[in-house]
Amino acid sequence: MERVCQFLKDAGVYYLATVEGDQPRVRPFGTAHIFEGRLYIQTGRVKPCSRQIAANPKVEISAFHDGTWVRIAGELVEDDRVEARKSMLDAYPNLRGMYDENDGNTQVLYFRSAVATFSSFTAAPETVEF
């Protein structure tokens, strides 16, 4: 899981796919953080992706960096504890201009039953489960 998190950080931007009804939705994200042994991402409750994840927690992430890409499939679970939100915002202080752990909008979610597959054109795919 640490390798997956570091890859997402190194890529800088990754793309999160959700569904809205029968329509796929993809958007750029940039937060990846390990807290209490779980891989977390962050969004705002007011955003459509938050509602989409609540309706269907199955998501997929894709990121590309230095000739390798990763796809992460799994379910996102909300962690509504202030400690989890604070840990994420402390790791990404640049978000504090838009978010606060006590604002009622900041949402952190962790992966459950995730499978990450690293691929490239020059090596066999490698799978990590967490």
Side-chain angles (χ1 to χ4, degrees):
M1 179 178 36
E2 289 81 9
R3 178 181 173 205
V4 173
C5 186
Q6 190 60 53
F7 188 93
L8 295 176
K9 288 180 179 186
D10 291 344
V13 174
Y14 59 86
Y15 296 89
L16 175 73
T18 61
V19 292
E20 185 174 50
D22 66 350
Q23 178 64 50
R25 302 289 184 193
V26 180
R27 81 277 293 148
F29 266 65
T31 54
H33 180 61
I34 294 177
F35 176 68
E36 294 182 347
R38 294 179 171 144
L39 178 60
Y40 282 74
I41 67 168
Q42 181 273 330
T43 191
R45 290 183 192 281
V46 299
K47 295 183 177 182
C49 67
S50 177
R51 292 186 296 279
Q52 293 157 8
I53 293 165
N56 182 351
K58 292 182 180 180
V59 301
E60 190 161 291
I61 284 176
S62 180
F64 182 83
H65 178 69
D66 203 23
T68 301
W69 60 93
V70 67
R71 290 177 57 200
I72 307 162
E75 294 183 19
L76 288 176
V77 177
E78 182 176 7
D79 186 338
D80 199 29
R81 297 176 298 154
V82 69
E83 297 86 0
R85 294 190 303 268
K86 182 177 183 324
S87 180
M88 175 65 80
L89 294 175
D90 287 349
Y92 288 89
N94 59 317
L95 293 177
R96 287 207 173 267
M98 297 179 290
Y99 296 102
D100 181 85
E101 58 267 21
N102 297 305
D103 64 8
N105 181 42
T106 302
Q107 183 179 39
V108 294
L109 306 111
Y110 65 85
F111 272 95
R112 174 175 58 196
S113 304
V115 177
T117 304
F118 291 90
S119 302
S120 75
F121 291 116
T122 58
E126 184 181 347
T127 301
V128 176
E129 296 182 24
F130 56 95

